[in-house]
Amino acid sequence: MLGTNPRSHPEPAATAPPSPGAGTLLQLLRDGVPRTRSELAAVTGLARSTVTQRVDALLASGLIGPAGEAASTGGRPPTTFAFRPEARVVIAADLGATHGRLAVTDLAGAVLAETSADLDIARGPDPVLDWVVARGRDLLTGLGRDTGDLLGIGIGLPGPVEHSTGRAVNPPIMPGWDGFDVPGHVSNRLPGSVLVDNDVNIMALGEHFAHWRDHDHLLFVKAATGIGCGIISDRQVFRGAQGAAGDMGHITVAGDDGPACRCGNTGCLEAVASGAAIAAELTRQGIPAHSARDVVELARAGSLPALQAIRQAGRDIGEVLAGAVNLLNPSVVVIGGSLALAGDHLLAGVREVVYQRSLPLATQHLRIVQSRTGERGGAIGAGVMVINHGLHPARIDRLVAT
Amino acid sequence: MLGTNPRSHPEPAATAPPSPGAGTLLQLLRDGVPRTRSELAAVTGLARSTVTQRVDALLASGLIGPAGEAASTGGRPPTTFAFRPEARVVIAADLGATHGRLAVTDLAGAVLAETSADLDIARGPDPVLDWVVARGRDLLTGLGRDTGDLLGIGIGLPGPVEHSTGRAVNPPIMPGWDGFDVPGHVSNRLPGSVLVDNDVNIMALGEHFAHWRDHDHLLFVKAATGIGCGIISDRQVFRGAQGAAGDMGHITVAGDDGPACRCGNTGCLEAVASGAAIAAELTRQGIPAHSARDVVELARAGSLPALQAIRQAGRDIGEVLAGAVNLLNPSVVVIGGSLALAGDHLLAGVREVVYQRSLPLATQHLRIVQSRTGERGGAIGAGVMVINHGLHPARIDRLVAT
């Protein structure tokens, strides 16, 4: 733990609710369906007069607006109210080892503008975050919005992050970032909450939000240079006691005889099935490959050794996933990351082993699918992280309290 | 899924709160600390008049009572109010393959009376549940309480259970129980909610409640005839999409060359490290053993092969747990079940491998400990399951609504 931070952002305590209502009404309206005051009263069980008061507060905040009239049952037709996703915007950044992707989204998570660039994370936090701030401002300007419209900024980093303080913790490929106060740096330059998480968690959140919102339990596996996993449980990122949950890359798959892993152990999944491991193996076989991208290109060009290696990596990932499926019983497993771009080979290997090794009760309704958000998943998830935080019912209650 | 059931019991939806308050106040008071109306208003942010109204409703329900006067700051000293754990009682049953254990607890989970008996689960649901009902009534009578005081009945079963309907699903050792309507059968004979779960989940809940309430994330491993795992996440049982979460016994540890498992696969943890597997292995070595209990007795008598086998079983369990720790990042792992009664040998093997194989970030603050609730853990957990359900704030709000 790196100590508390004035910009840390725990969810408001559930045991001490302020007078509730507005946040709950907004939560209902976030589905985009316009509703009358009577409908809102019926769904929530609140008194009609209370609903009117809450609706007025939300109207004043701009988060909802009138949305035309409902069909009349006689007399003056009642007004309906709807969520206004355009009321605020979010800057969402997905920062990888060598590449940065930036989006501005509305409050429904729709990408309004985006950009990307080669960006070496190892240059350190100052230049990298300054890029986020400067390009974020540019995107806002291009949309005719200004920083006063910001709900917040969401940032994904390619390493372990302490979510509660927004700081990287001993990140292996990010010199200069260890313990750096990312929210502090950005908050001095832009208004709004600043939330930070690791890249796999935001990819899991983005994939869940974009395609699997009616599933409560999802695993997202990123197979790229390394291998990581983001766990969505009850529609939220599952973090565990120290926020370290989801580390799948260093689970043993090849035993004590397996190859050495950079973590100091042997036989870790990452040491046998990551893009880096496959590239090294192909190079040993006389087929030069330096990265996960090289492996994917070889596979696309029809290289049989590359195809076989990717399929076997899928089986190895499947071995570990079979255990994760038995333990966590998700209803969806999504395979993403650059290795997944090689087409169905990785997925075929994963399916082969999971359906063989997991229990029937756990696989009965299980879907194992390729990522659909692809390279945009991380930025979408970084935006969703900020939206879910900023529009949390208790926070809205405080925001619009009169 | 076995369809819906009128006695199923989802938690009330979070999106449509009734006018809140009483349930939240009770939740605060469940810590046993008496509080004045002013203190309750200060903690909750509710208006003093609202607190008075809620407190009156809770007094009328008998769930709280006056608890003397607070120190006065001048004028008449204010009354304090405290939770009354004796207001209701719970019948809690932990049913094993050949043994049943029954307790009556108060609303703080304290065991007021208990009994146990040899009870063959394979006799089928009618005689077994009738034993629960009859002995439950006897315990109540002995305490001078009657069935009108019941908050509910909690039952743990030694097989997979669909928690939402309270029915066993394809249980391997429970002929006649598959799909049987346990809540229906019991509800026809006793008042109160009837909740059912599998034995490992209630053991995890009991251990967490009794000893680890300030830890949000706990894994409980039951190592006995079989091997199972109960996951506590955010202080609740983690169930996953189909309620099948926590199956640790059929995760691969010995690979394709490992021994055949009753599930149809090879090399499952249960096939190499369960009490049944160890007993079979010792028998092969010329040391007759038929059960986990035999193995434990041999170990206690100093049998070196038994001690070695238990230590190795600990290592095998540790292999699987190391992966679970990386994935879930709990802060406590509790080892229970009859094999754990062999003393430190099992635990030593578990620790050896988990600390070697899990990531430093995940083991930094991890405690791996022996079960302390022992044979009472299941019954305590079955009681806690009913209490947490019955005293859920939204349910209390409805109960005392005026």
Side-chain angles (χ1 to χ4, degrees):
Chain A
M1 297 293 106
L2 299 164
T4 56
N5 182 304
R7 280 167 300 267
S8 77
H9 38 73
E11 295 303 334
T15 47
S19 85
T24 304
L25 295 191
L26 184 66
Q27 199 63 23
L28 283 169
L29 290 168
R30 278 180 69 189
D31 68 4
V33 179
R35 292 181 178 84
T36 64
R37 291 186 185 90
S38 302
E39 286 165 348
L40 289 169
V43 177
T44 59
L46 289 170
R48 175 65 190 269
S49 58
T50 311
V51 168
T52 296
Q53 193 185 348
R54 306 285 187 250
V55 164
D56 288 348
L58 288 171
L59 284 169
S61 75
L63 290 168
I64 69 170
E69 293 172 348
S72 172
T73 55
R76 198 159 67 94
T79 309
T80 64
F81 301 93
F83 179 46
R84 292 182 65 239
E86 68 275 23
R88 301 274 195 290
V89 289
V90 172
I91 294 178
D94 178 20
L95 305 178
T98 59
H99 198 80
R101 179 173 284 270
L102 201 66
V104 170
T105 79
D106 68 14
L107 296 182
V111 173
L112 305 177
E114 60 190 317
T115 186
S116 67
D118 290 337
L119 185 70
D120 187 359
I121 198 88
R123 287 177 61 205
D126 285 295
V128 169
L129 294 175
D130 288 347
W131 178 83
V132 170
V133 170
R135 290 294 82 70
R137 286 180 182 277
D138 292 346
L139 289 180
L140 289 179
T141 304
L143 289 165
R145 308 293 296 248
D146 66 47
T147 58
D149 294 339
L150 273 176
L151 180 71
I153 300 97
I155 300 174
L157 295 178
V161 170
E162 186 180 64
H163 180 65
S164 60
T165 61
R167 296 163 189 249
V169 184
N170 297 320
I173 61 164
M174 298 169 62
W177 289 80
D178 187 19
F180 185 85
D181 181 7
V182 176
H185 186 93
V186 176
S187 290
N188 286 337
R189 289 155 180 82
L190 287 172
S193 308
V194 181
L195 282 89
V196 189
D197 207 339
N198 76 62
D199 54 353
V200 189
N201 282 348
I202 62 167
M203 289 168 85
L205 203 54
E207 193 77 22
H208 179 261
F209 180 85
H211 297 291
W212 303 100
R213 252 181 277 186
D214 51 345
H215 288 252
D216 291 348
H217 298 276
L218 173 148
L219 294 187
F220 181 92
V221 178
K222 179 188 178 190
T225 305
I227 296 177
C229 174
I231 303 171
I232 301 292
S233 157
D234 286 330
R235 299 154 177 257
Q236 299 182 315
V237 175
F238 180 94
R239 301 182 187 283
Q242 269 82 43
D247 201 308
M248 171 169 274
H250 301 282
I251 294 180
T252 312
V253 67
D256 293 337
D257 324 327
C261 181
R262 62 183 171 90
C263 77
N265 267 314
T266 54
C268 296
L269 179 61
E270 200 164 288
V272 299
S274 65
I278 297 174
E281 174 58 27
L282 290 175
T283 303
R284 262 192 302 276
Q285 294 178 26
I287 304 163
H290 302 290
S291 65
R293 300 262 165 200
D294 289 353
V295 172
V296 170
E297 275 177 30
L298 282 164
R300 284 182 172 161
S303 156
L304 189 60
L307 292 173
Q308 288 172 327
I310 290 172
R311 177 105 184 191
Q312 182 55 40
R315 290 192 196 102
D316 292 332
I317 293 170
E319 286 282 348
V320 172
L321 262 178
V325 163
N326 279 2
L327 266 186
L328 297 171
N329 186 23
S331 53
V332 185
V333 171
V334 181
I335 311 292
S338 55
L339 270 191
L341 300 176
D344 288 339
H345 308 286
L346 188 75
L347 203 63
V350 170
R351 285 186 175 135
E352 182 183 323
V353 176
V354 171
Y355 286 119
Q356 181 202 336
R357 293 280 351 176
S358 290
L359 289 169
L361 186 57
T363 56
Q364 199 177 5
H365 302 287
L366 179 68
R367 299 181 63 175
I368 303 176
V369 299
Q370 193 125 3
S371 164
R372 299 189 202 164
T373 54
E375 298 188 335
R376 299 175 87 192
I380 293 171
V384 170
M385 168 171 68
V386 172
I387 296 165
N388 286 347
H389 171 78
L391 301 188
H392 187 282
R395 193 162 283 105
I396 293 296
D397 285 347
R398 283 209 305 268
L399 183 73
V400 306
T402 47
Chain B
M1 295 296 106
L2 298 164
T4 55
N5 180 305
R7 279 167 300 268
S8 76
H9 38 72
E11 294 304 333
T15 47
S19 85
T24 304
L25 294 191
L26 184 67
Q27 198 64 22
L28 283 170
L29 291 168
R30 278 180 68 189
D31 67 6
V33 179
R35 291 181 179 84
T36 65
R37 291 186 185 90
S38 302
E39 285 166 349
L40 289 169
V43 176
T44 59
L46 289 171
R48 175 64 191 267
S49 58
T50 312
V51 168
T52 297
Q53 192 186 346
R54 306 286 187 249
V55 164
D56 288 348
L58 288 171
L59 284 169
S61 75
L63 290 168
I64 69 170
E69 294 172 345
S72 170
T73 55
R76 197 160 65 95
T79 309
T80 64
F81 301 93
F83 180 45
R84 292 182 66 240
E86 68 276 23
R88 301 276 193 291
V89 289
V90 172
I91 293 178
D94 178 20
L95 305 178
T98 59
H99 197 80
R101 179 173 282 270
L102 202 65
V104 171
T105 79
D106 67 14
L107 295 182
V111 174
L112 306 176
E114 59 190 318
T115 186
S116 67
D118 289 337
L119 184 70
D120 187 0
I121 198 89
R123 288 177 61 205
D126 285 295
V128 169
L129 294 176
D130 288 346
W131 177 85
V132 170
V133 170
R135 290 295 80 73
R137 285 180 183 276
D138 292 347
L139 289 181
L140 289 179
T141 304
L143 290 164
R145 307 294 295 250
D146 66 46
T147 57
D149 294 339
L150 272 176
L151 180 72
I153 300 97
I155 299 173
L157 295 178
V161 170
E162 187 180 63
H163 180 65
S164 60
T165 62
R167 295 163 190 249
V169 185
N170 297 320
I173 61 164
M174 297 170 61
W177 288 80
D178 188 19
F180 185 85
D181 180 9
V182 175
H185 185 93
V186 176
S187 290
N188 286 337
R189 289 154 181 83
L190 287 172
S193 309
V194 181
L195 282 90
V196 189
D197 207 339
N198 76 62
D199 55 351
V200 190
N201 282 349
I202 62 167
M203 289 167 86
L205 202 53
E207 193 78 23
H208 179 260
F209 180 84
H211 297 292
W212 303 100
R213 252 181 276 185
D214 50 346
H215 288 251
D216 291 348
H217 298 277
L218 173 149
L219 293 187
F220 181 92
V221 178
K222 179 188 177 190
T225 304
I227 296 176
C229 175
I231 303 171
I232 301 292
S233 157
D234 286 329
R235 298 154 177 257
Q236 298 183 316
V237 174
F238 181 94
R239 301 181 187 283
Q242 269 82 43
D247 201 307
M248 171 170 273
H250 301 282
I251 294 181
T252 312
V253 66
D256 293 337
D257 323 327
C261 182
R262 63 183 171 89
C263 77
N265 267 313
T266 54
C268 297
L269 179 61
E270 200 163 288
V272 299
S274 65
I278 296 173
E281 174 58 28
L282 290 174
T283 302
R284 261 194 300 278
Q285 295 179 24
I287 305 164
H290 303 289
S291 66
R293 300 262 167 203
D294 288 354
V295 172
V296 170
E297 276 177 29
L298 283 164
R300 283 180 172 162
S303 156
L304 189 60
L307 291 173
Q308 289 172 326
I310 290 173
R311 177 105 184 192
Q312 182 56 39
R315 291 192 195 101
D316 292 332
I317 293 170
E319 286 282 349
V320 172
L321 263 178
V325 164
N326 279 1
L327 265 186
L328 298 171
N329 186 25
S331 54
V332 185
V333 172
V334 181
I335 310 293
S338 55
L339 269 192
L341 300 175
D344 288 338
H345 308 286
L346 189 74
L347 203 62
V350 169
R351 285 186 175 136
E352 184 184 322
V353 176
V354 171
Y355 286 119
Q356 181 203 336
R357 293 281 351 177
S358 291
L359 289 170
L361 186 58
T363 56
Q364 198 177 6
H365 301 288
L366 179 68
R367 299 181 64 176
I368 303 176
V369 299
Q370 193 124 5
S371 164
R372 298 188 202 165
T373 54
E375 298 188 335
R376 299 174 87 191
I380 293 171
V384 170
M385 167 171 69
V386 173
I387 295 164
N388 286 347
H389 171 78
L391 300 189
H392 187 281
R395 193 162 284 105
I396 293 298
D397 285 346
R398 283 207 305 267
L399 183 73
V400 305
T402 47

